[in-house]
Amino acid sequence: MRVGVLTGGGDCPGLNAVIRAIVRKGVQEYGYDFTGFRDGWRGPLEGVTVPLSIPVVRGILPRGGTILGSSRTNPFDAEYAGQGVRRIRDSLATYGIDSLITIGGEDTLGVAATLSDEYGIPCVGVPKTIDNDLSGTDYTFGFDTAVGIATEAIDRLHTTAESHMRVLVVEVMGRHAGWIALHSGLAGGANVILIPEQRFDTDQVCEWVTSRFRASYAPIVVVAEGAAPATGGMILKDDSRDSFGHVRLSGVGEWLAKEIERRTGKEARTTVLGHVQRGGTPSAFDRWLATRFGLHAIDAVHEGVSGVMVALRGTDIVRLPISEATARLKTVDPALYAEAGVFFG
Amino acid sequence: MRVGVLTGGGDCPGLNAVIRAIVRKGVQEYGYDFTGFRDGWRGPLEGVTVPLSIPVVRGILPRGGTILGSSRTNPFDAEYAGQGVRRIRDSLATYGIDSLITIGGEDTLGVAATLSDEYGIPCVGVPKTIDNDLSGTDYTFGFDTAVGIATEAIDRLHTTAESHMRVLVVEVMGRHAGWIALHSGLAGGANVILIPEQRFDTDQVCEWVTSRFRASYAPIVVVAEGAAPATGGMILKDDSRDSFGHVRLSGVGEWLAKEIERRTGKEARTTVLGHVQRGGTPSAFDRWLATRFGLHAIDAVHEGVSGVMVALRGTDIVRLPISEATARLKTVDPALYAEAGVFFG
Amino acid sequence: MRVGVLTGGGDCPGLNAVIRAIVRKGVQEYGYDFTGFRDGWRGPLEGVTVPLSIPVVRGILPRGGTILGSSRTNPFDAEYAGQGVRRIRDSLATYGIDSLITIGGEDTLGVAATLSDEYGIPCVGVPKTIDNDLSGTDYTFGFDTAVGIATEAIDRLHTTAESHMRVLVVEVMGRHAGWIALHSGLAGGANVILIPEQRFDTDQVCEWVTSRFRASYAPIVVVAEGAAPATGGMILKDDSRDSFGHVRLSGVGEWLAKEIERRTGKEARTTVLGHVQRGGTPSAFDRWLATRFGLHAIDAVHEGVSGVMVALRGTDIVRLPISEATARLKTVDPALYAEAGVFFG
Amino acid sequence: MRVGVLTGGGDCPGLNAVIRAIVRKGVQEYGYDFTGFRDGWRGPLEGVTVPLSIPVVRGILPRGGTILGSSRTNPFDAEYAGQGVRRIRDSLATYGIDSLITIGGEDTLGVAATLSDEYGIPCVGVPKTIDNDLSGTDYTFGFDTAVGIATEAIDRLHTTAESHMRVLVVEVMGRHAGWIALHSGLAGGANVILIPEQRFDTDQVCEWVTSRFRASYAPIVVVAEGAAPATGGMILKDDSRDSFGHVRLSGVGEWLAKEIERRTGKEARTTVLGHVQRGGTPSAFDRWLATRFGLHAIDAVHEGVSGVMVALRGTDIVRLPISEATARLKTVDPALYAEAGVFFG
């Protein structure tokens, strides 16, 4: 029995912990052999592999990123001209792969669901999204690490905001869902939290900012990169070009800081946390979750199931159809967001 | 409406976050007044109070410990000669307290349950135990922080173990339940994890240690302070006395390191993490959980319920009778412990 | 004897530690009284004070920022119409201040030097610059903290760079001096380090980037915010305006990432660390240095000297004329920068 | 030209950074080949080597410990029956080593000095001691990391001490010199700091403890493992044996906590930080220092010198005779210790 493993999509702390757990249990408990495919679906599509064994996975538990590399390659893209599935099937045959464990987000898992459900290729999924926006699982690994990093940054920004009595706008990850903003904003004691799920009223934001200053404190505004104002012409990434012809990038954080300055007359600064949120060693919680996901994924392979992914429910690891988990985005519930409102202003 | 708040038992990162959330929402949303009682049940018993208002709770979110102080004082102890309940009732009357929020572990909550169920004193509970051994809630705040600190220590100990090819035994908290040992051991990549729920076989431990050395790696053994060998005369805290007449303290970590040295001939060292596990700033997860517990506790007060505590189930905060939660210890399930076994040796 | 204390310029981890040490020793050892002036020179100019005593400074050692507030107000600015010195003198008389301890950078200390040397107002200086670019002292507090935060970010970015085999450009603080870039770049294992002291050759940077990829690794480029290319039209902050009329901000990091993409065809991303580098709890080194600076500053006051500042030389705290220290910027020595070159590419 | 490298004595964060810098510059700039010797002097004595090249040292910069292993083996020990030097000479000949870089403390460097000065074997030294007690250098790498870890622990212990109003005694490393205790005690805001250089008066310690409680704060006592009371029968490691015949270990921290309890009636707890202080990733400062030591050590080899070691003086790396640096222990100056006294009590 030989099992293939691949990691797709954006990298995420905990990927290596999943790989290690899969290999460790697969070899020791079930006597399996393993083949790693490089860079997500590119691996089986192009036939690029990496050896995978217990010595290879030693010491990778605390390391961020993925030893298998990652990419956003999709076998159903035009690039593969309808030959994607055939190429994957050929690769699996070439390497003698009996089952494939795919670790990834919506896209990577979506492919796995199709391969399993429509083409009968045995696939087991492990959900991965730093944004925590996959349905069916309470949390995904990487999220806790990202929230921890964002919270630590907010802690640091409080003191610099207070010393100069200025507004600090912190832009965190979250294009479609505000989980990182909500959790880190609450944990960091932010005075305003803005999420993509609910368009914000810039006047209201400015009122919260002003009210905070009235109490002689300096406000911290946490904004998810995907948040947007309810009205008005925010142009996040406009088409003005600089002297080199590069398209200019300007995120909501920068935009909002300028608006706050303009409307309140208070000095405002932006910090865009960016890629530091997704790199580096996973938190203890994420290592634990990733490890358990890996152990349960190889158990699923052992039991011969396909088209399912592992998921966290409370403290249990469960299985559910991949297609169900990828059917819709898990966004922040309005009631949950409202709960945080007591800390605004 | 005036609400009393107290924190009892061992301190735990997140207590201040609970207090802040209770006061913030209680004042802003419900217009309540607050009285803090000092040092757990000692506060209402002796009539020692602390002012509690929004200005008082500003800035305490990231701070460990509890601004209310804590103690293990119990109104049903002989010390109070059966007058404990009367004294509490008098204090509540004196300070005009309509409802009491008690934040604590088994003992503190047990008292609250009795006061509510048997004496009709309105009490709402917030569960607190760094050991995570309270039934009814998936997690308690403080636990994630403790696991994070223990994991970071294990990370550090790996490199020193490898450099000298010696065994490192890490004793972590957990008198009756092995949650911290299990989570930090898994997250830290320990080679042996020993928990109170299952007596260990010292020969088996030595075999795992030896097998790790055979693979040219140095073993890390994580042992909960409450773990004990299946057979043999380990005397954790014997009655030998030193030259000053002090009772000698020797924990299972120190004992085990010596046994490993004696039996395997390999050098072994012990690190007892101790109080650093329960102090300092809470992790982002714990701040989030503690804040939500606080918000839901004051909601419960607002709805006029008593004898209930808030609890985490999945990602929801629920309510359940305190008496139910304190009826039995939540220990590590044998199946969960077995899951970790693939990493031993 | 009453001593005034003020903190000026950008905030910096360690300011509170200096204040605490001054007050602690001043009160306990010398029996002095203290007056804090708010927001740098604005305090004595406008007569805004803060009480300063042992109870006030308790617990501030580990806290970033400054309890006295800060500003860039300068008594010699046109705003004060030549009345700045008189106003300061009046304030000192009003509050009965015998000597003033000024904690700040080039500007703040420059004012102190002038007040002491030209107007006979007793001033002792404590050097502060997160950029470490003040002459006369081996290090200033805050710098080690900033380097530590930048290094941790670089550590995290390595794993995300490797997983996607992309370039990561990290922009760190340092407008005129490359100390933070050099130290964090070396400590973080960066593949290119660019500093303001030496204009960079973008082609050479791209060669290093390409050579790193040839070795199958992903490059990290650390660039000080003040670094600039030797040739070519980089426009750091051009005058194009967005749809709201805001001037567009674009730093060297963003510019460089785009150039690298354009020239090498490799994907590149930028992270601008920004204000997180100057906020939050000081490192142990900075707390130690700041504490010693504070102790020695109050000693200088006690000995009746003026116009001097404390400075670190090796492991000793020495005194030197403020005017000497502020005469020129301490930049990175070319030989030291060359030393790091062996790690480029 | 082939250079041998070995690391001896206790492990220390930064050893790998030194090795990497040596190899990186030696290969790239000077075209040298390298041979690693395993486990300090045991390597050349027993002819045990490790390959050492640029690929081997990639990625080791942030890793604690030493990839070469370490030991306290000494060629002049009786075990080698006077044949130690001959065996080393034979090994160097066998492997074609032209010069040896020895990274270690007093013992390792002492051997290097003798080999160079008396036997004409080319040796260059790199000083290493986590305790910072080597003369001739302002700091050694590893020390800053240890101080950082101890300071973070003290930060955490403050909150748990305050919550329960109990004394916390923290035992840190430092058998003969109190540098770690002094620096971490000052940085952590300890209320008492005890060092080996000056025997302490237990009554005085108890007075400081009591005075702290009078101010309504809980005291933290930082004690170096080598500190001892001026009078009285402290028996650090007495000869009482437990039921297994193991000698009982009891350090000064545990002893002191009991004495404080006995004399002041206040509850006291001990935390012995132990091996966590010397493991794990080095601080940015230590990576910088270790890297520079490595670069300058290979420069020294290149210039053909022997019997010297590199050292930090201010911000410069200098060279000095090894024999000079190992002649005496660098202990805490009484004046420096007195400076800290203002914070006691």
Side-chain angles (χ1 to χ4, degrees):
Chain A
M1 177 86 175
R2 178 172 288 273
V3 180
V5 183
L6 64 83
T7 54
D11 71 311
C12 196
L15 287 167
N16 282 328
V18 179
I19 298 167
R20 166 181 175 266
I22 290 170
V23 172
R24 192 74 187 257
K25 186 161 193 180
V27 171
Q28 277 189 211
E29 204 118 332
Y30 303 131
Y32 292 168
D33 291 310
F34 286 89
T35 296
F37 286 105
R38 254 209 91 80
D39 298 344
W41 291 111
R42 195 174 77 80
L45 283 164
E46 317 276 344
V48 194
T49 64
V50 180
L52 213 46
S53 63
I54 288 187
V56 165
V57 301
R58 269 204 209 281
I60 67 173
L61 167 65
R63 280 164 48 197
T66 161
I67 58 166
L68 298 178
S70 189
S71 77
R72 300 197 184 274
T73 302
N74 190 315
F76 298 107
D77 274 0
E79 179 187 357
Y80 292 102
Q83 299 300 306
V85 176
R86 191 195 48 73
R87 290 174 73 156
I88 289 174
R89 213 190 281 281
D90 288 354
S91 268
L92 299 184
T94 303
Y95 294 100
I97 307 297
D98 299 292
S99 186
L100 194 58
I101 300 182
T102 61
I103 312 166
E106 219 185 338
D107 294 343
T108 308
L109 294 182
V111 170
T114 305
L115 293 183
S116 173
D117 299 354
E118 297 179 22
Y119 297 92
I121 296 175
C123 288
V124 165
V126 175
K128 175 230 61 132
T129 145
I130 206 153
D131 291 340
N132 200 35
D133 58 2
L134 258 171
S135 292
T137 185
D138 284 355
Y139 294 105
T140 41
F141 57 86
F143 171 67
D144 183 65
T145 304
V147 169
I149 292 169
T151 302
E152 200 192 308
I154 298 169
D155 280 357
R156 292 200 169 275
L157 294 170
H158 271 295
T159 62
T160 189
E162 295 296 339
S163 298
H164 296 281
M165 286 312 262
R166 59 165 69 125
V167 185
L168 268 160
V169 177
V170 192
E171 185 183 308
V172 300
M173 287 188 312
R175 231 163 263 181
H176 309 294
W179 294 108
I180 293 178
L182 182 62
H183 278 240
S184 66
L186 265 179
N191 308 103
V192 181
I193 300 171
L194 305 173
I195 62 175
E197 288 86 344
Q198 199 163 312
R199 294 202 151 231
F200 60 83
D201 174 348
T202 313
D203 285 330
Q204 171 67 76
V205 171
C206 290
E207 266 179 55
W208 283 321
V209 160
T210 307
S211 122
R212 176 78 175 168
F213 276 118
R214 267 198 307 271
S216 294
Y217 285 87
I220 302 280
V221 178
V222 172
V223 56
E225 61 186 322
T231 59
M234 184 181 68
I235 292 166
L236 286 189
K237 306 196 176 191
D238 73 11
D239 59 5
S240 74
R241 282 162 195 277
D242 64 19
S243 51
F244 289 94
H246 298 313
V247 172
R248 121 177 222 288
L249 295 170
S250 169
V252 63
E254 198 184 312
W255 178 88
L256 186 59
K258 286 170 186 164
E259 278 305 294
I260 291 172
E261 278 199 354
R262 195 172 66 85
R263 298 185 188 200
T264 67
K266 295 287 184 181
E267 203 184 19
R269 293 280 185 281
T270 312
T271 290
V272 182
L273 288 186
H275 286 83
V276 290
Q277 290 165 93
R278 70 181 325 129
T281 194
S283 71
F285 180 90
D286 283 338
R287 296 187 197 177
W288 156 260
L289 178 57
T291 296
R292 294 195 70 203
F293 272 177
L295 297 177
H296 283 255
I298 194 69
D299 286 351
V301 167
H302 185 67
E303 292 171 30
V305 298
S306 179
V308 302
M309 69 170 219
V310 293
L312 179 72
R313 292 277 172 85
T315 59
D316 294 326
I317 309 295
V318 301
R319 285 178 205 161
L320 70 168
I322 298 178
S323 50
E324 194 178 287
T326 54
R328 59 171 198 87
L329 207 68
K330 183 180 69 178
T331 53
V332 174
D333 184 56
L336 194 59
Y337 182 57
E339 208 179 277
V342 74
F343 298 108
F344 294 0
Chain B
M1 177 85 174
R2 179 171 287 273
V3 180
V5 183
L6 63 83
T7 54
D11 71 312
C12 195
L15 286 167
N16 283 328
V18 178
I19 298 167
R20 166 182 175 265
I22 288 170
V23 173
R24 192 76 187 255
K25 185 160 194 180
V27 172
Q28 278 189 208
E29 206 117 332
Y30 302 130
Y32 292 168
D33 291 309
F34 286 90
T35 297
F37 286 105
R38 255 210 90 81
D39 298 344
W41 291 110
R42 195 174 77 81
L45 283 164
E46 318 275 346
V48 194
T49 64
V50 181
L52 211 47
S53 62
I54 288 187
V56 165
V57 301
R58 270 203 209 282
I60 69 172
L61 167 65
R63 280 164 50 197
T66 162
I67 58 165
L68 298 178
S70 189
S71 75
R72 301 195 185 276
T73 301
N74 191 315
F76 298 106
D77 275 0
E79 180 187 356
Y80 291 101
Q83 299 299 307
V85 176
R86 192 195 47 74
R87 291 173 73 155
I88 289 173
R89 212 190 281 281
D90 288 354
S91 270
L92 299 184
T94 303
Y95 294 100
I97 307 297
D98 300 293
S99 186
L100 194 58
I101 300 182
T102 59
I103 313 166
E106 218 187 340
D107 294 342
T108 308
L109 294 181
V111 170
T114 305
L115 293 182
S116 174
D117 299 354
E118 298 179 21
Y119 297 91
I121 296 175
C123 288
V124 165
V126 175
K128 176 231 58 137
T129 145
I130 207 153
D131 292 340
N132 199 37
D133 57 2
L134 256 169
S135 292
T137 185
D138 284 356
Y139 294 105
T140 39
F141 57 86
F143 172 66
D144 184 65
T145 304
V147 170
I149 293 169
T151 301
E152 199 193 308
I154 298 170
D155 279 358
R156 292 201 169 273
L157 294 171
H158 271 295
T159 62
T160 190
E162 295 297 340
S163 298
H164 296 281
M165 288 308 264
R166 59 165 71 126
V167 185
L168 267 161
V169 177
V170 192
E171 186 182 309
V172 299
M173 286 189 310
R175 231 163 263 182
H176 307 294
W179 293 109
I180 292 178
L182 182 62
H183 277 241
S184 66
L186 265 179
N191 310 101
V192 180
I193 300 171
L194 305 173
I195 62 176
E197 288 87 344
Q198 200 164 311
R199 295 204 149 230
F200 60 83
D201 173 347
T202 313
D203 284 330
Q204 172 66 75
V205 171
C206 290
E207 266 179 56
W208 284 323
V209 160
T210 307
S211 123
R212 177 77 177 170
F213 276 119
R214 269 197 306 268
S216 295
Y217 284 86
I220 302 281
V221 178
V222 172
V223 55
E225 61 185 324
T231 58
M234 185 180 68
I235 292 166
L236 288 187
K237 307 196 176 191
D238 71 13
D239 57 5
S240 74
R241 283 161 194 276
D242 64 18
S243 51
F244 289 94
H246 298 313
V247 173
R248 116 177 226 291
L249 295 170
S250 168
V252 62
E254 196 184 316
W255 178 87
L256 186 58
K258 286 171 186 164
E259 277 306 292
I260 290 172
E261 278 199 355
R262 196 174 65 87
R263 297 186 189 200
T264 68
K266 296 286 184 180
E267 203 182 20
R269 293 279 184 281
T270 311
T271 291
V272 182
L273 289 184
H275 286 83
V276 290
Q277 291 164 93
R278 70 181 326 130
T281 194
S283 71
F285 180 90
D286 282 339
R287 296 187 197 177
W288 156 260
L289 179 57
T291 296
R292 295 196 69 205
F293 273 177
L295 296 178
H296 284 255
I298 194 69
D299 285 352
V301 167
H302 185 67
E303 293 172 28
V305 297
S306 179
V308 303
M309 68 171 220
V310 293
L312 180 71
R313 291 277 172 86
T315 59
D316 296 326
I317 309 294
V318 301
R319 283 179 207 162
L320 69 169
I322 299 178
S323 51
E324 197 177 285
T326 53
R328 60 171 196 84
L329 208 68
K330 183 179 71 177
T331 52
V332 175
D333 184 56
L336 193 62
Y337 182 56
E339 210 181 274
V342 74
F343 298 107
F344 293 0
Chain C
M1 176 88 175
R2 178 171 287 274
V3 180
V5 183
L6 64 81
T7 54
D11 72 310
C12 195
L15 287 167
N16 283 329
V18 178
I19 298 166
R20 166 182 175 265
I22 288 169
V23 173
R24 192 75 187 256
K25 185 160 193 182
V27 172
Q28 279 190 209
E29 205 119 332
Y30 302 130
Y32 293 168
D33 291 310
F34 286 90
T35 296
F37 286 105
R38 253 209 91 80
D39 298 345
W41 291 111
R42 195 174 76 81
L45 283 164
E46 318 276 344
V48 195
T49 64
V50 181
L52 211 47
S53 62
I54 288 187
V56 166
V57 301
R58 271 205 208 280
I60 68 172
L61 167 66
R63 280 164 48 197
T66 160
I67 57 166
L68 298 179
S70 189
S71 76
R72 300 195 185 276
T73 301
N74 191 315
F76 299 106
D77 274 1
E79 180 187 357
Y80 290 102
Q83 299 300 306
V85 175
R86 190 194 49 74
R87 291 173 73 154
I88 288 173
R89 213 190 281 281
D90 287 355
S91 268
L92 300 185
T94 303
Y95 294 100
I97 307 297
D98 299 291
S99 186
L100 194 59
I101 299 183
T102 61
I103 313 168
E106 217 185 340
D107 294 343
T108 308
L109 294 182
V111 170
T114 305
L115 292 183
S116 172
D117 299 354
E118 298 179 21
Y119 297 92
I121 296 175
C123 287
V124 164
V126 176
K128 175 232 60 136
T129 145
I130 206 152
D131 292 340
N132 199 36
D133 57 3
L134 257 170
S135 292
T137 185
D138 284 356
Y139 295 105
T140 40
F141 57 87
F143 171 67
D144 184 64
T145 305
V147 169
I149 291 168
T151 301
E152 200 192 308
I154 298 169
D155 280 357
R156 291 200 169 273
L157 294 170
H158 271 295
T159 63
T160 189
E162 295 297 340
S163 299
H164 295 281
M165 286 312 261
R166 60 165 70 125
V167 185
L168 268 161
V169 177
V170 192
E171 186 182 307
V172 299
M173 288 188 311
R175 231 162 261 181
H176 308 295
W179 293 110
I180 292 178
L182 182 62
H183 277 241
S184 66
L186 265 178
N191 309 102
V192 182
I193 301 171
L194 304 173
I195 62 175
E197 288 86 344
Q198 199 164 311
R199 293 203 152 232
F200 60 82
D201 174 348
T202 312
D203 285 331
Q204 171 65 75
V205 170
C206 290
E207 266 179 54
W208 284 322
V209 160
T210 307
S211 123
R212 176 78 176 168
F213 276 118
R214 269 199 304 272
S216 295
Y217 284 86
I220 302 281
V221 177
V222 172
V223 56
E225 60 185 324
T231 59
M234 184 180 70
I235 292 168
L236 287 188
K237 304 196 176 191
D238 73 12
D239 59 5
S240 74
R241 282 161 193 279
D242 65 19
S243 51
F244 288 95
H246 299 312
V247 174
R248 122 178 220 290
L249 295 169
S250 168
V252 62
E254 198 184 312
W255 178 87
L256 185 59
K258 286 171 185 164
E259 276 305 292
I260 290 172
E261 279 199 354
R262 196 173 65 85
R263 299 185 188 200
T264 68
K266 296 287 185 181
E267 202 183 21
R269 293 280 185 281
T270 311
T271 290
V272 182
L273 290 184
H275 286 82
V276 289
Q277 292 165 91
R278 69 181 327 128
T281 194
S283 70
F285 181 89
D286 282 339
R287 296 188 198 176
W288 156 259
L289 178 58
T291 296
R292 293 196 71 204
F293 272 178
L295 296 178
H296 283 255
I298 194 69
D299 286 350
V301 167
H302 185 66
E303 295 171 28
V305 298
S306 180
V308 303
M309 68 170 220
V310 293
L312 180 71
R313 292 276 172 84
T315 59
D316 295 326
I317 309 295
V318 300
R319 284 179 205 163
L320 70 167
I322 299 178
S323 49
E324 194 177 287
T326 54
R328 57 172 200 82
L329 208 68
K330 183 180 71 180
T331 53
V332 173
D333 183 55
L336 194 61
Y337 183 56
E339 208 179 277
V342 73
F343 298 108
F344 293 0
Chain D
M1 177 84 174
R2 180 171 286 273
V3 180
V5 183
L6 64 82
T7 54
D11 72 311
C12 195
L15 287 167
N16 283 328
V18 178
I19 298 167
R20 167 183 175 264
I22 288 170
V23 172
R24 193 74 188 257
K25 185 160 194 181
V27 171
Q28 278 190 208
E29 204 118 332
Y30 302 130
Y32 294 167
D33 291 310
F34 285 90
T35 296
F37 287 105
R38 253 209 92 79
D39 298 345
W41 292 111
R42 195 175 76 82
L45 283 165
E46 318 275 345
V48 195
T49 65
V50 181
L52 211 46
S53 62
I54 287 186
V56 165
V57 300
R58 270 203 210 281
I60 68 171
L61 168 65
R63 279 164 50 198
T66 162
I67 59 165
L68 298 178
S70 190
S71 76
R72 300 196 185 274
T73 301
N74 190 314
F76 299 107
D77 274 0
E79 181 187 353
Y80 290 102
Q83 300 299 307
V85 177
R86 192 193 49 71
R87 291 173 74 155
I88 288 174
R89 213 190 280 282
D90 288 356
S91 269
L92 299 184
T94 302
Y95 293 99
I97 307 298
D98 298 292
S99 187
L100 195 57
I101 299 182
T102 60
I103 312 166
E106 218 186 341
D107 294 342
T108 308
L109 293 181
V111 170
T114 306
L115 292 182
S116 174
D117 299 353
E118 297 179 20
Y119 298 92
I121 296 175
C123 288
V124 165
V126 175
K128 176 231 58 136
T129 145
I130 207 153
D131 292 339
N132 198 36
D133 57 3
L134 256 170
S135 293
T137 185
D138 284 356
Y139 294 107
T140 41
F141 57 86
F143 171 67
D144 184 66
T145 304
V147 169
I149 293 169
T151 301
E152 200 192 309
I154 298 170
D155 279 359
R156 292 200 169 274
L157 294 171
H158 271 295
T159 62
T160 189
E162 294 297 340
S163 298
H164 294 281
M165 287 310 264
R166 60 165 69 126
V167 185
L168 267 161
V169 177
V170 192
E171 186 182 308
V172 300
M173 286 189 311
R175 232 162 261 182
H176 308 295
W179 294 109
I180 292 178
L182 182 62
H183 278 241
S184 67
L186 265 180
N191 309 101
V192 181
I193 301 172
L194 305 174
I195 62 176
E197 288 87 344
Q198 200 163 312
R199 295 203 149 230
F200 61 82
D201 173 347
T202 312
D203 285 329
Q204 172 66 75
V205 171
C206 291
E207 266 179 56
W208 284 322
V209 160
T210 306
S211 123
R212 176 79 176 168
F213 276 118
R214 267 198 306 269
S216 295
Y217 285 87
I220 302 281
V221 177
V222 172
V223 56
E225 61 186 322
T231 57
M234 183 179 71
I235 291 167
L236 287 187
K237 306 194 178 193
D238 73 11
D239 58 5
S240 74
R241 284 161 192 277
D242 64 19
S243 50
F244 288 94
H246 299 312
V247 173
R248 122 177 221 289
L249 295 170
S250 168
V252 62
E254 197 184 313
W255 178 87
L256 185 59
K258 286 171 186 163
E259 278 304 294
I260 290 172
E261 280 200 353
R262 196 172 65 87
R263 297 184 189 201
T264 68
K266 296 287 183 181
E267 203 184 16
R269 292 282 183 279
T270 312
T271 291
V272 182
L273 289 184
H275 286 83
V276 291
Q277 291 166 91
R278 68 182 328 130
T281 195
S283 72
F285 181 90
D286 282 339
R287 296 188 199 177
W288 155 261
L289 178 57
T291 296
R292 294 196 70 204
F293 272 177
L295 296 177
H296 282 256
I298 194 70
D299 286 351
V301 167
H302 185 66
E303 294 172 28
V305 298
S306 179
V308 303
M309 69 170 220
V310 292
L312 179 72
R313 292 278 171 83
T315 61
D316 296 324
I317 309 295
V318 300
R319 286 179 204 160
L320 70 168
I322 300 178
S323 49
E324 196 177 285
T326 53
R328 60 172 197 82
L329 207 67
K330 183 178 70 178
T331 52
V332 173
D333 184 54
L336 193 62
Y337 183 56
E339 209 179 275
V342 73
F343 298 107
F344 293 0

